[in-house]
């Protein structure tokens, strides 16, 4: 409420709402209901053979009226092969467990009421449909803001997983490997639709996306004696996905399912495709035929105009330039212990290559005078712009402005020193006399350094200098851990 002047107080708040001249009560209440049933069976025999199975049925209120329930099953087997007699004489191998599993799971990553058509009313919603013809009182109408989808239901994934867990050389080397293949059906996303419908987007279920990948973990005990221990670890992840089915539409009648170019979704390709005109360098002064055909100037970006097989730049010359998805991920760690000292270092990274892990970063190429001035002030160095005396095929001339085609793609590959810590475990008589069970003093640093060619604040987020974000903050701490 507001305007409590009749009561002599303008800050009464909710408790004095009835005393306000202007009374307003806002509600932002949502309700989400989930229900599930689960059955599970597990069996192990002789410490060598294992079997487990489960079945669950889940319901969620967030889905459309026709598709609120999902059924999901799973089963897995494992064989500890080192427990078999024929493996007893193979001494280098201490433990080997083979495993295979199949399972289904569901995802309800959608907010309540998103499957319903929604409407706004009142002046606060910006719907100025005034049905009153009097100046004293105005009535506002109701406008539909979203298009519902009563068929929207569970996003389901069927996954096959196989691999092994192993220990070698007196349990000094551990190697775990997992291979997987999954099929995700009815993936929920916002689909771009023709604006003539009165809406620009609608929540829809996409046909099928396949994921194939491998996870590898290697841990080793490199040195181990009374006073010195050195262990290392490495984890490698690689995942490839492919869009297999979409909407089942063939509007052009070519016998193949149509891509959704507006949403950058292409059948048979990875998600996160970057679609546009292929830049083949910078226009040079001797590119006379290209300059005449395109009406461009030396120093501007040069594009491949023969993708469709005919001269001239047309929408048919657009192609997939790369993908936003990474090539692989890597995590490396090392722990060195000497007596009561311990040094720990961890580095993480995400890597591109093969036209992967790319993102448009036009600010790296300075597309407008104001952007160039701001970035020059921030970075205190200049790019080698194209000039007749400094011909290059990377950076346009200094006065180039965005032509609607230029993307300025950059590789986001990065490697970061994530953690460094040095600690000392205090094992002295006075510690026990103070009723302290353990005392550890440590010096730690996070996000110490990042190595990348990305021109911006954070390659992991893909943010440029002008995106209003800051680099990942480095932090340093000194402290102690007590246990009583």
């Amino acid at each position: 409420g507001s305007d409590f002047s009749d009561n002599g107080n303008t800050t009464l708040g909710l408790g004095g709402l009835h005393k306000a001249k202007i009374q307003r009560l806002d509600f932002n209440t949502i309700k989400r209901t989930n229900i599930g049933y689960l059955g599970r069976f597990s069996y192990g025999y002789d410490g060598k053979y294992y079997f487990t199975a489960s079945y669950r049925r889940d319901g969620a209120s967030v889905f459309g009226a026709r598709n609120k329930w999902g059924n999901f099953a799973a089963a897995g087997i494992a064989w500890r092969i080192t427990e078999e007699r024929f493996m007893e004489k193979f001494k280098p191998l201490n433990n080997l467990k083979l495993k295979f599993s199949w399972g289904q799971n569901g995802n309800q990553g959608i907010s309540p009421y998103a499957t319903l058509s929604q409407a706004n009313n009142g002046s606060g919603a910006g719907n100025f449909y005034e049905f009153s013809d009097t100046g004293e009182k105005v009535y506002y109408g109701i406008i539909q803001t979203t298009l519902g989808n009563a068929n929207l239901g569970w996003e389901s994934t069927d996954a096959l997983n196989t691999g092994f867990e192993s220990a070698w050389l007196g349990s000094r080397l551990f190697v775990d490997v997992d291979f997987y293949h999954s099929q995700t059906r009815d993936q929920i996303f916002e689909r771009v639709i023709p604006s003539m419908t009165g809406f620009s987007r609608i929540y829809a279920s996409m046909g099928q996306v396949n994921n194939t990948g491998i996870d590898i973990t290697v841990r080793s005990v490199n040195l181990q004696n009374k006073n010195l221990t050195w262990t290392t670890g490495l984890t490698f992840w690689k995942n490839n996905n492919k869009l297999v089915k979409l909407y089942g539409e063939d509007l052009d009648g070519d016998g193949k399912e149509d891509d959704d170019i507006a949403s950058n979704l292409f059948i048979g390709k990875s998600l996160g495709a970057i679609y546009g005109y292929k830049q083949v360098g910078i226009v040079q002064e001797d590119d006379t035929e290209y300059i005449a055909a395109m009406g461009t100037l030396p120093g501007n970006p040069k594009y491949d105009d023969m993708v469709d097989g005919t001269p001239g730049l047309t929408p048919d010359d657009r192609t997939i330039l790369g993908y936003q998805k990474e090539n692989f991920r890597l995590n490396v760690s090392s722990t060195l212990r000497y007596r009561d000292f311990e040094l720990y270092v961890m580095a993480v990274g995400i890597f591109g290559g093969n036209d992967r892990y790319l993102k448009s970063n036009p600010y790296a190429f300075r597309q407008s005078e104001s952007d160039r001035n701001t970035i020059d002030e921030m970075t205190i160095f200049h790019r080698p712009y194209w000039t007749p005396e400094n011909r290059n095929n990377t950076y346009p001339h200094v006065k180039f402005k965005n032509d609607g085609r230029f993307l300025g793609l950059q590789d986001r590959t990065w490697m970061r020193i994530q953690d460094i810590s040095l600690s000392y475990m205090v094992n002295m008589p006075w510690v026990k006399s103070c009723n302290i069970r353990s005392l550890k003093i440590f010096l730690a640093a996070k996000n110490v350094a990042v190595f990348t060619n990305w021109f911006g604040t954070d390659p992991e987020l893909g943010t440029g200098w002008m995106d209003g974000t800051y680099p990942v903050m480095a932090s340093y701490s000194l402290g102690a851990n007590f246990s009583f």
Side-chain angles (χ1 to χ4, degrees), residues 3-12 19:
D3 192 358
F4 296 89
S5 55
D6 290 346
N7 196 56
N9 190 331
T10 59
T11 59
L12 289 177
K19 299 182 182 294

Side-chain angles (χ1 to χ4, degrees), residues 336-448:
L336 180 65
R337 297 184 182 91
Y338 177 72
R339 294 182 179 273
D340 295 324
F341 289 92
E342 178 180 289
L343 175 65
Y344 172 76
V345 180
M346 182 177 71
V348 298
I350 302 180
F351 299 84
N354 299 323
D355 293 327
R356 291 186 174 271
Y357 208 40
L358 302 177
K359 189 175 182 181
S360 175
N361 190 16
Y363 290 120
F365 302 88
R366 326 267 182 81
Q367 290 192 77
S368 70
E369 191 68 35
S370 61
D371 292 342
R372 286 194 297 271
N373 291 340
T374 304
I375 295 175
D376 286 344
E377 293 171 3
M378 292 170 60
T379 61
I380 322 177
F381 67 87
H382 300 266
R383 290 298 194 188
Y385 304 124
W386 184 95
T387 66
E389 296 76 25
N390 180 37
R391 299 185 180 188
N392 70 79
N393 274 309
T394 304
Y395 298 95
H397 63 74
V398 69
K399 293 185 178 181
F400 167 71
K401 295 182 179 180
N402 193 359
D403 56 9
R405 305 184 186 99
F406 181 73
L407 294 178
L409 294 177
Q410 282 198 313
D411 190 325
R412 292 165 55 194
T413 295
W414 59 272
M415 189 78 181
R416 178 181 291 126
I417 307 300
Q418 185 78 26
D419 292 291
I420 300 178
S421 67
L422 177 64
S423 62
Y424 175 68
M425 185 67 71
V426 181
N427 289 316
M428 296 182 180
W430 64 266
V431 175
K432 299 292 184 181
S433 63
C434 293
N435 294 321
I436 299 175
R437 182 180 300 175
S438 65
L439 170 60
K440 183 169 72 172
I441 302 172
F442 66 88
L443 175 64
K446 288 184 174 294
N447 304 316
V448 178

